Amino acid sequence: MENRQGYDPSEFEDDDYMNPQPAADKSIRGYRIVIIILSAILVALSVLYYSIHRQQMIDNELLQADRDSIQNDLGRLMTDYDNLQISNDSISANLTLERERADSLMTRLKKERSWNLAKIKQYEKEVGTLRTIMRGYVRQIDSLNTLNKKLIKENVGFRKEISSANLRAEMAEEKAAELDNKVRIGAVLRARDISLAALNNNSRDVSRIKNASRLRVDFALSANELASPGNKALYVRITSPDGYVLTTEEMPTFEFEGERLSYSAMREVEYDNTKDLGVGIFYTSTGFTAGTYKIQIYCEGRLIGQTDVAMR
């Protein structure tokens, strides 16, 4: 039968329309492709995340190692500062300031929580600065120690020279004193050829001392150019056989070695040191007894001669 409206069913024939299954298959394939692409992207992102995380862990470990290295280096540096010994007040004060800076830096290191390469570089620079400063002080201290050793060596040398000079001066002084003492000893007057005579009232010799009314001590003052010439006071001490010094009622004395000694008689003479001088000194008294008499002669505070004389 003819279609009155001119409709032709063949014109509307289509494979997709007539068969919907192929279109559904295409949609499924498209979804699968999207899923595969998304999965690939997810895997790539996972790999990238893992790689970045791993790198961060490695970087953190390196930063931690750098921090520990800086801290250990700073600790050794602080120990080096503590071991520096110096008596120079100025350097010692500066060392104390630098040691306090090191303490402050160590405190900051221990409190630091956020680490990065820039901070590592900063801390390394500060520790390096402290070490450079310390090395400068070490050179100064070494120079001072070298100078001190040189000064000590020179001081020891000077002391030896001074000691040697003092020793020579002392020896010279001792020799001078010895020479002076010899001169003084050599300058002492000497009385020699001492004798004792018993006399009567007419100043004639008697054979028995018990008959004597006077005693005369004779001696010679030897010439001595070291002795000074001039007026000399001569003191005679006559000790009797019974041990008593014969003296007068006035009991006159003279000084000898810090003591006052009584004497029997004295006489002043004019001494010429170029020739011998014969001297006689008289002692007047009575009651003499036979025996040994001790004669001592003094001049200028010195004993210049003595002898024992047996009298009948």
Side-chain angles (χ1 to χ4, degrees), residues 81 93-103 130 133 137:
Y81 269 108
N94 290 332
L95 283 176
T96 300
L97 291 177
E98 297 304 325
R99 181 61 170 80
E100 291 175 355
R101 285 182 57 193
D103 286 337
L130 287 173
I133 293 172
Y137 285 128

Side-chain angles (χ1 to χ4, degrees), residues 13-244:
E13 289 183 358
D14 187 274
D15 291 341
D16 290 337
Y17 177 77
M18 297 301 292
N19 188 8
Q21 184 65 37
D25 290 341
K26 288 181 179 180
S27 298
I28 291 172
R29 284 197 301 272
Y31 287 137
R32 287 177 179 173
I33 291 171
V34 171
I35 291 171
I36 291 172
I37 293 172
L38 291 175
S39 297
I41 292 173
L42 180 61
V43 170
L45 290 174
S46 298
V47 172
L48 180 61
Y49 171 78
Y50 176 78
S51 177
I52 293 173
H53 180 68
R54 179 177 177 81
Q55 187 62 44
Q56 287 179 341
M57 291 181 63
I58 293 173
D59 291 342
N60 286 335
E61 290 177 357
L62 291 175
L63 290 174
Q64 182 69 31
D66 289 339
R67 189 198 71 173
D68 293 341
S69 176
I70 292 173
Q71 188 168 330
N72 292 334
D73 192 21
L74 181 58
R76 289 190 294 270
L77 180 61
M78 293 168 68
T79 301
D80 292 340
Y81 269 108
D82 292 337
N83 290 336
L84 289 177
Q85 301 292 332
I86 183 64
S87 58
N88 185 284
D89 293 339
S90 177
I91 295 180
S92 179
N94 290 332
L95 283 176
T96 300
L97 291 177
E98 297 304 325
R99 181 61 170 80
E100 291 175 355
R101 285 182 57 193
D103 286 337
S104 176
L105 183 58
M106 179 64 80
T107 301
R108 287 167 49 202
L109 271 171
K110 291 181 178 179
K111 290 183 177 180
E112 188 68 63
R113 292 294 179 266
S114 177
W115 287 91
N116 54 48
L117 186 59
K119 288 186 178 180
I120 290 293
K121 295 297 183 182
Q122 177 186 348
Y123 282 117
E124 286 179 344
K125 182 178 180 181
E126 292 187 44
V127 173
T129 300
L130 287 173
R131 184 166 295 281
T132 300
I133 293 172
M134 189 198 71
R135 287 172 179 169
Y137 285 128
V138 168
R139 286 193 293 271
Q140 291 186 47
I141 293 171
D142 288 342
S143 297
L144 288 175
N145 288 338
T146 301
L147 179 60
N148 285 338
K149 289 179 181 178
K150 182 180 178 181
L151 291 176
I152 290 173
K153 185 177 180 180
E154 291 178 354
N155 190 28
V156 170
F158 289 147
R159 286 186 177 180
K160 288 182 178 179
E161 291 179 6
I162 292 173
S163 178
S164 178
N166 288 340
L167 181 60
R168 289 195 298 269
E170 289 177 0
M171 292 177 63
E173 186 177 350
E174 289 178 0
K175 289 182 178 179
E178 182 180 355
L179 180 60
D180 181 66
N181 186 52
K182 288 181 178 179
V183 170
R184 285 188 290 108
I185 293 174
V188 173
L189 294 177
R190 297 297 174 187
R192 59 180 176 80
D193 301 333
I194 302 171
S195 63
L196 179 63
L199 307 175
N200 58 20
N201 290 330
N202 297 321
S203 296
R204 295 182 179 275
D205 292 338
V206 295
S207 58
R208 303 283 182 178
I209 195 171
K210 66 178 181 178
N211 298 324
S213 58
R214 301 180 72 189
L215 298 179
R216 187 184 68 232
V217 177
D218 295 311
F219 59 91
L221 284 179
S222 299
N224 184 355
E225 293 185 355
L226 294 178
S228 59
N231 187 268
K232 305 292 181 182
L234 303 172
Y235 298 89
V236 174
R237 278 169 57 95
I238 305 172
T239 304
S240 64
D242 54 7
Y244 292 100

